Amino acid sequence: MDHPTPRSSFRSPRFAQPPTFMRLPHREDLTGVDVAIVGVPYDGGTSYRVGSRHGPREIRSQSSLIRTYSYFQKVAPFDRLTVVDAGDLDVPPVGSIEQAYAAIEAGIARILAAGATPMAVGGDHSISLPILRAVTRAHGPVGLVQFDSHIDTWPEYFGGKYFHGSPFYWAVEEGLVDPARFVQVGIRGPGYGDDDFDFHRRRGMTVVLIDQVKAEGVDRTIEAVRRVLDGPTYVSFDIDAVDPAFAPGTGTPEVGGLTSHEAQRLVRGLGGLPIVGCDLVEVSPQYDGPGQITALLAANLLFEMLCVIARGRG
Ligand code: MN
Ligand code: MN
């Protein structure tokens, strides 16, 4: 098994060739692969402005600029890990969300069956639930850190169970995530009332509101997050955790969020944890700003996640 690396920019210009994540090889045979980057272009769970189905393609395009070594995590992930771009899951864009969930769960299960860790690129946040169903079938209940401006623990929407505001209610109810090892970071409102957090209190989940991040700083926030996480861990990054001044290209923007740099440092702070899967969701390119800054940030956060995984597999 060869050890794939991003195509060298000294032999092929960064803007050339069909875009794959960081110019890695596109490979559907995942034998021997450690991490599979997989697009999940589904936005049928979106409650406000749609468009994150176009996220994976734009994130791949913006990722072509990223170089391979992190000065801050002090790791070259492609030296330690076999990483490929596994393409996209062919999720049905029409029909019921249950049909989409079945396709996503089956696709992620195939990646896990090959022994690879899935790094999913959304798509809206509803995709996290079927991914977690597949991940926990392989690993058992996981700890979870969710970066988000929203809690996403609503039990239903227009009479249905599933949309991008409910994945973590069902993930806890289905026993996929251990609520004692579940922490949400960057949450802010406005919401509906303090009882928005009744579910969290009842289940013993941890919430780090954005004001706590800003008041205590990134390092203390990382300490608080790592106190909660233990054992196999899943990371879910909703790009709307970041302030729309830095990440406008998303479906449900909330002002007063993380800076790009805070987001990078928070992800770096997970280094060494045993990551069994992760996703980055809610990038909606048609609302993006000049320079595709949201997709560019998303691509860079995925690179930081790769470094985090690499540090956990020393
Ligand atoms: Mn979300
Ligand atoms: Mn959100």
Side-chain angles (χ1 to χ4, degrees), residues 143-147 180-186 206-208 212-213 216-230 233-235 266-267 269-270 273:
L144 194 146
V145 53
Q146 173 196 352
F147 298 95
R181 294 186 286 140
F182 188 169
V183 54
Q184 302 183 317
V185 181
T206 302
V207 179
V208 181
Q212 188 180 336
V213 180
E216 298 185 359
V218 169
D219 290 337
R220 294 271 301 278
T221 302
I222 290 167
E223 286 171 24
V225 167
R226 293 189 72 129
R227 268 198 298 275
V228 174
L229 297 174
D230 184 31
T233 297
Y234 188 89
V235 184
L266 284 166
V267 173
L270 304 175
L273 288 169

Side-chain angles (χ1 to χ4, degrees), residues 125 146 148 152 164 238:
H125 221 158
Q146 173 196 352
D148 207 323
D152 295 351
H164 70 163
D238 182 331

Side-chain angles (χ1 to χ4, degrees), residues 4-5 11-12 50 78 100 113 118 123 125 127 140 147 166 171 216 255 258 272 283 296-297 300 302 313:
T5 52
R11 293 198 200 92
S12 169
V50 295
F78 307 107
H125 221 158
I127 69 169
F147 298 95
S166 70
E216 298 185 359
V255 299
L258 301 171
V283 173
L296 178 64
L297 173 61
N300 274 276
L302 287 163
R313 314 269 172 97

Side-chain angles (χ1 to χ4, degrees), residues 125 148-150 152 238 240-241 252 282:
H125 221 158
D148 207 323
S149 67
H150 309 100
D152 295 351
D238 182 331
D240 70 32
T252 324
E282 298 284 350

